[in-house]
Amino acid sequence: MKLKIQYNSPVVLTYTLICVAVTFFDWMIYGDFAKSANFPNTVTGQFFTLYPNKMSFDSVLSYFRVFSHSMGHGGWNHLLGNFSFILLIGPILEERYKSGPLLIMILLTATITGILQTIFFRSALLGASGIVFMMILLVSFTNFKSGSIPLTFILVAILYLGKEMFNAVNPSPGTQNISQFAHIIGGLCGGLFGYVINQKNMLQDKQPES
C-alpha cells in the first residue's frame, strides 16, 4: 500500500506556510530581525505588524495591517510557540466547522483584535496568539448541547483568560512584551463563535424535514 501526504487542513496549513515564509524571509536577510534596528524595513515590520500610532484612513496598507498582523512574528520562538497550538487544534476545528467558516473566524478575530488595539492602545501588535486563544476557546465547545454550556469551556475560560487578565493587571518582567489584550479578545471571539455556531446548528437539526 502506497502512502501519500495529504493536505488535510487547507486553511490551517496555508496560514502556517504563509507565516513561516514571512519569518524565514526576514530571518535569512536580517538574522534576529525582531531586535534589529532595521525591523521597520523588514517584510514583517512593513506589512505584518500593526502600528496604531501610524494608522491612516488614506492608507490601504493601514487597513491591511489591521488583520495581517496575525501573520507576522518576532522570530522562530514566537512563531513556534503559536503554531504548536494551531497545528494541533486547527485541523480538528477545520474538520468540524469546515474550511470556509474557520477562515472567516480567523479573519474576524484578527480584524476585531486589530481594530480594538488601534482604538485603545498605542503599542505595535504582531503574532497569531489571538488566533491561538480563539481556537482554544472554540475547541472547548466541541461537546456543546442546546440549553447548556460545557464545563470544559468554563474551565478553559477560567484558566486561560483568567491568567491573561491577571498578567495584564500584574505584569511580570517576562510578560511585558506580550499582548494579554489580544489573547483576551481572541478568547472572547472563540467563545462567541462556538456558542453562536453550535446554537445555530442545534436549531437546524430540530427543524422538521419538509
Side-chain angles (χ1 to χ4, degrees):
M1 178 177 170
K2 186 177 180 181
L3 298 176
K4 63 178 182 179
I5 297 175
Q6 181 184 6
Y7 204 72
N8 62 303
S9 187
V11 169
V12 171
L13 289 172
T14 301
Y15 180 36
T16 302
L17 291 174
I18 291 172
C19 295
V20 169
V22 171
T23 300
F24 180 78
F25 184 85
D26 283 336
W27 174 72
M28 285 292 292
I29 296 176
Y30 299 100
D32 192 3
F33 61 91
K35 297 180 181 179
S36 170
N38 290 318
F39 178 78
N41 299 320
T42 64
V43 171
T44 301
Q46 290 188 67
F47 301 102
F48 301 99
T49 301
L50 177 66
Y51 302 99
N53 58 339
K54 296 181 180 180
M55 286 292 292
S56 172
F57 291 109
D58 299 325
S59 171
V60 175
L61 184 56
S62 289
Y63 292 106
F64 179 68
R65 288 169 174 164
V66 167
F67 66 87
S68 70
H69 66 85
S70 64
M71 293 180 275
H73 290 81
W76 291 115
N77 288 336
H78 188 198
L79 185 142
L80 292 173
N82 285 331
F83 281 90
S84 59
F85 283 98
I86 290 174
L87 288 172
L88 179 65
I89 301 172
I92 298 171
L93 295 173
E94 191 163 352
E95 182 178 1
R96 177 175 175 80
Y97 297 104
K98 307 307 177 186
S99 298
L102 181 61
L103 176 59
I104 291 172
M105 286 187 276
I106 290 173
L107 292 174
L108 279 176
T109 300
T111 301
I112 292 169
T113 303
I115 290 172
L116 293 178
Q117 179 79 11
T118 301
I119 293 173
F120 295 109
F121 298 95
R122 298 290 91 191
S123 56
L125 178 67
L126 77 164
S129 56
I131 307 302
V132 170
F133 274 74
M134 180 272 285
M135 289 185 172
I136 289 173
L137 271 291
L138 183 60
V139 80
S140 67
F141 261 94
T142 301
N143 297 321
F144 177 84
K145 295 181 180 179
S146 182
S148 65
I149 298 177
L151 178 59
T152 51
F153 169 78
I154 296 173
L155 294 175
V156 167
I158 292 172
L159 289 173
Y160 282 89
L161 297 188
K163 175 187 174 184
E164 295 307 307
M165 291 178 183
F166 177 83
N167 287 338
V169 176
N170 301 281
S172 62
T175 62
Q176 289 177 347
N177 294 323
I178 298 175
S179 178
Q180 285 84 21
F181 180 77
H183 297 175
I184 293 168
I185 297 302
L188 292 176
C189 286
L192 180 62
F193 294 151
Y195 180 81
V196 171
I197 293 174
N198 284 286
Q199 187 70 27
K200 181 180 178 181
N201 290 340
M202 289 291 180
L203 293 173
Q204 290 177 343
D205 291 341
K206 289 182 179 180
Q207 290 180 354
E209 295 182 2
S210 56

